[in-house]
């Protein structure tokens, strides 16, 4: 049975600006992807964010047009087989279309998306709270997130002078509730000496991990820094940049942070997660501040690929508006539905 694709652009305002060492934004633009066959629809989100490692919006739009032109009388499985060739150098576009096709297949088979990917996947996904940049008064955001039951709090570093950030970290750590931790992300802001100094500061703090510490990452320096750190160092953007294609065991860190929109969809994410786990690395999934259509797919994928980890998927509150009801954590956990598909239902305006 042939599949019909519909691709609709959107622009969603943020509740507050997103800031990091790699830049920020005040609005999320992308395309809602709908794949339909036999009266059933699946949904995906193409939400390019070049600062995170995806293609530009122009490249994504061109790739989506190629997919539309090639779809023709193809069924969902046949289109999946051709998708990589149609979306070369456009991982966010591939992720959006592939998500919609897999969602459609799961719904038609009466399966949750996580069960389609991993039959024994659990119904709950632990997530960290996203506090924003360390200089953006995170203490109030931390208190609010702790009141909602969050146990891991993510902070962006590298947006202020390192000495200032070290002092702010020490102060903030004193406000942490018992048995909670900080997850830090430098977004490639530091040289090796600064990263080493920050790690020394963090040794005395309840830090769970530190992502992308180096401006110019190399595996030897990362391995040396990891040897000094009692917590996991993690790679995220570098996996699609200077360290792309390296075997996980050669990266020099204990954790990889996988963004399906950057890697090119659920199947590519699963392949890299499998290789990383086989090499003894921890795997965490995170979003690129996607719409509800993307977040539901990412949450289902997290349950299928790394059910025991705490993931970076609590980003819905950063959007002032959305395309549907987004996953909403309670006590630091997203509960996944048992209904077929990803769990995404668009608001009526998005699905006339």
């Amino acid at each position: 049975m042939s599949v019909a694709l519909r691709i609709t652009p959107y622009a969603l305002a943020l509740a507050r600006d997103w800031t990091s060492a790699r830049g920020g934004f005040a609005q999320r633009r992308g395309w809602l992807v709908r794949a339909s066959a036999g009266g059933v629809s699946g949904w995906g989100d193409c939400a390019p964010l070049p600062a995170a490692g995806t293609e530009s919006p122009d490249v994504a739009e061109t790739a989506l047009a190629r997919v539309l032109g090639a779809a023709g009388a193809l069924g969902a499985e046949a289109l999946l087989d051709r998708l990589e060739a149609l979306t070369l150098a456009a991982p966010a576009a591939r992720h959006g279309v592939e998500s919609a096709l897999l969602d459609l297949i799961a719904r038609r088979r009466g399966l949750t998306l996580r069960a389609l990917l991993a039959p024994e996947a659990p119904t709950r996904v632990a997530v960290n709270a996203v506090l924003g940049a360390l200089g953006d008064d995170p203490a109030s955001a931390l208190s609010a997130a702790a009141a909602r039951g969050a146990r891991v709090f993510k902070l962006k570093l590298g947006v202020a002078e390192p000495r200032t950030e070290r002092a702010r970290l020490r102060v903030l750590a004193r406000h942490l509730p018992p048995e909670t931790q900080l997850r830090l992300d430098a977004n490639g802001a530091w040289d090796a000496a600064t990263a080493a100094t920050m790690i020394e500061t963090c040794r005395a703090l309840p830090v769970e991990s530190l992502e992308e510490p180096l401006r110019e990452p190399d595996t030897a320096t990362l391995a040396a820094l990891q040897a000094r750190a009692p917590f996991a160092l993690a790679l995220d953007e570098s996996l699609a940049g200077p360290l792309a294609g390296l075997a996980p065991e050669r990266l020099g860190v204990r954790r990889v942070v996988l963004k399906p929109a950057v890697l090119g969809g659920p199947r590519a994410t699963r392949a890299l997660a499998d290789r990383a786990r086989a090499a003894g690395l921890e795997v965490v999934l995170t979003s690129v501040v996607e719409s509800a259509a993307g977040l539901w797919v990412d949450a289902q994928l997290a349950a299928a690929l790394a059910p025991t980890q705490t993931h970076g998927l609590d980003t819905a509150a950063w959007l002032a508006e959305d395309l549907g009801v987004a996953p909403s954590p309670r006590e630091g956990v997203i509960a996944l539905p048992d209904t077929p598909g990803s769990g995404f239902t668009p608001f009526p305006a998005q699905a006339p």
Side-chain angles (χ1 to χ4, degrees), residues 21-348:
R22 295 182 186 269
F25 49 92
Q27 187 183 59
R28 283 302 275 128
R29 291 180 174 271
W31 291 265
L32 178 63
V33 182
R34 178 179 184 176
S36 302
V40 178
S41 292
W43 304 89
D45 185 9
C46 169
L49 188 64
T54 77
E55 73 275 27
S56 69
D58 288 346
V59 171
E61 187 172 23
T62 299
L64 291 174
R66 278 200 304 272
V67 174
L68 276 175
L74 294 176
E77 288 83 356
L79 186 53
L80 278 172
D81 289 341
R82 296 190 56 188
L83 195 55
E84 184 174 359
L86 293 168
T87 55
L88 290 175
R94 189 182 316 143
H95 177 51
V97 177
E98 183 177 300
S99 296
L101 293 171
L102 292 175
D103 190 25
L104 171 62
I105 291 169
R107 291 176 192 247
R108 287 180 58 83
R109 295 182 185 178
L111 298 172
T112 63
L113 182 55
R114 64 186 181 276
L116 180 71
L117 300 168
E120 303 303 319
T123 61
R124 294 160 55 88
V125 174
V127 296
N128 62 242
V130 183
L131 303 186
L134 182 57
D136 292 345
D137 185 28
S140 58
L142 187 151
S143 297
R148 298 195 304 270
R151 310 304 296 167
V152 179
F153 307 95
K154 185 168 184 179
L155 276 169
K156 296 285 188 178
L157 302 183
V159 296
E161 198 273 331
R163 181 178 299 178
T164 300
E165 290 195 328
R166 292 199 302 273
R168 288 174 177 171
L169 271 177
R170 294 187 186 101
V171 172
L172 184 66
R174 292 199 290 268
H175 295 279
L176 280 176
E179 299 183 4
T180 62
Q181 294 178 298
L182 293 173
R183 176 175 284 182
L184 307 177
D185 187 356
N187 285 118
W190 303 323
D191 59 23
T194 302
T197 301
M198 294 297 294
I199 287 171
E200 287 305 308
T201 297
C202 291
R203 288 178 64 90
L205 304 178
V207 170
E208 182 257 7
S209 63
L210 171 62
E211 294 177 28
E212 292 290 348
L214 295 179
R215 185 179 304 119
E216 297 179 358
D218 69 88
T219 57
T221 304
L222 286 166
L225 291 172
Q226 180 65 86
R228 302 176 65 166
F231 44 80
L233 298 187
L235 292 176
D236 183 348
E237 294 91 347
S238 295
L239 299 174
L243 304 181
L246 280 183
E249 61 269 20
R250 295 180 55 197
L251 294 173
V253 298
R254 283 171 34 194
R255 177 179 293 180
V256 289
V257 179
L258 308 184
K259 289 184 169 73
V262 174
L263 296 174
R267 294 180 300 174
T269 304
R270 178 168 61 180
L272 182 52
D274 288 346
R275 294 198 301 273
R277 287 199 309 271
L281 274 65
E282 301 168 7
V283 173
V284 167
L285 269 69
T286 187
S287 81
V288 292
V289 195
E290 293 147 289
S291 75
L295 270 183
W296 278 114
V297 171
D298 292 344
Q300 295 275 354
L301 188 57
L305 300 186
T308 64
Q309 285 292 339
T310 299
H311 298 278
L313 302 175
D314 185 14
T315 57
W318 284 80
L319 295 176
E321 52 189 335
D322 212 327
L323 305 179
V325 176
S328 180
R330 293 187 178 182
E331 299 296 317
V333 171
I334 291 173
L336 299 173
D338 289 325
T339 52
S342 69
F344 174 70
T345 300
F347 291 139

